[in-house]
Amino acid sequence: MIGIHTDLEAYAAAVAELPATAVVSRAPGDAIVVVSEPNWTGRVRAAWARGAAAIVVADPGSPVDLDDLAALVDEAHARPPVVIARPRLRTDARFAVPSADQTWRALVAECAAPTRSTPALARDAIGWLRVLSGGALAPVATDAARDSALAHLTTDAGVPATLVSAAGSRLRAPFLRAVQLGERRVEVLVEADDRHRVTVIDEGGARVLPRVFESVERAALRRAVDLVESSDIANDLSDLLHDESLAAWALNTPPHQSS
């Protein structure tokens, strides 16, 4: 049994759904500490200083100060693990996608959101390109205007990846779709309620994979508990830095903005 230190109602409710594993704790020492905006990077450092066993960052905003985030990544190597809860990038939904046994030839992600939500959505769209490619991406060229961006990237194997991003004040809800193209098409659609719909299309037709119904809060806490109890390494901060850096490049965002 491990303590969870949080003042967020959704995470307190998630603790109640893990009665055999976790209990709410009033003190951060030796507990899993949930932090959120504003200044989540500073709150991570404060939780480390107060003896947290692990940290969950609840839906960090974007853009961030990239230098500060890079410094946090370096500090994390000798610190307790950090789990980043990103509601629009549910890697447990990705785990439901069968391993590719056919060559895929391109990746495309498209997203649209109200203007102030665009950086975070573009970041998570790039995150899906990274997840679907199985590794890091490198920038090639970008063309960004006030309300839109078209960015070309490449994988380590030289496979092209494209991000199309649009912003608009009339958009009522964010839209994000990422597609792996080849002899088989894998499409991840993040719906308005942050539910993920994964569709696989091949010669046998189209099939929608089972949805992940577990809340992002419960999934993040379970993962944090597993990290505390094992010697596994969390790469969430490094992955976030990868996605934030490429999103800033794609959108021509100044590099030292803070959330």
Side-chain angles (χ1 to χ4, degrees), residues 107-132:
L107 298 167
V108 179
E110 52 185 335
C111 61
T115 303
R116 63 178 167 179
S117 302
T118 301
L121 200 65
R123 174 201 66 194
D124 292 339
I126 287 175
W128 273 114
L129 291 176
R130 171 179 51 79
V131 170
L132 290 173

Side-chain angles (χ1 to χ4, degrees), residues 141-152 163 165 247-253:
T142 185
D143 183 6
R146 180 179 179 181
D147 295 324
S148 62
L150 174 64
H152 299 288
L163 169 71
S165 173
W249 162 79
L251 301 176
N252 281 337
T253 304

Side-chain angles (χ1 to χ4, degrees), residues 33 35 40 44-45 48 53-57 72 76 79-85 223-224 227 233-238:
V33 178
V35 304
W40 68 266
V44 167
R45 292 184 174 98
W48 279 335
I55 300 168
V56 173
V57 181
L72 193 69
R79 297 287 191 172
V82 176
V83 172
I84 309 291
R223 184 157 172 263
L227 288 168
I233 297 174
N235 294 316
D236 297 36
L237 284 170
S238 296

Side-chain angles (χ1 to χ4, degrees), residues 88-176:
R88 295 166 299 280
L89 187 67
R90 292 292 300 270
T91 54
D92 45 356
R94 171 67 180 97
F95 295 154
V97 178
S99 300
D101 54 5
Q102 297 166 313
T103 302
W104 52 274
R105 298 177 177 84
L107 298 167
V108 179
E110 52 185 335
C111 61
T115 303
R116 63 178 167 179
S117 302
T118 301
L121 200 65
R123 174 201 66 194
D124 292 339
I126 287 175
W128 273 114
L129 291 176
R130 171 179 51 79
V131 170
L132 290 173
S133 72
L137 301 165
V140 176
T142 185
D143 183 6
R146 180 179 179 181
D147 295 324
S148 62
L150 174 64
H152 299 288
L153 309 100
T154 186
T155 69
D156 289 340
V159 176
T162 301
L163 169 71
V164 182
S165 173
S169 59
R170 296 184 180 181
L171 293 170
R172 296 184 178 180
F175 170 84
L176 193 164

Side-chain angles (χ1 to χ4, degrees), residues 23 34 61 104 112 141 173 178 180 204 216:
V23 62
V34 181
W104 52 274
Q180 186 186 71
V216 66

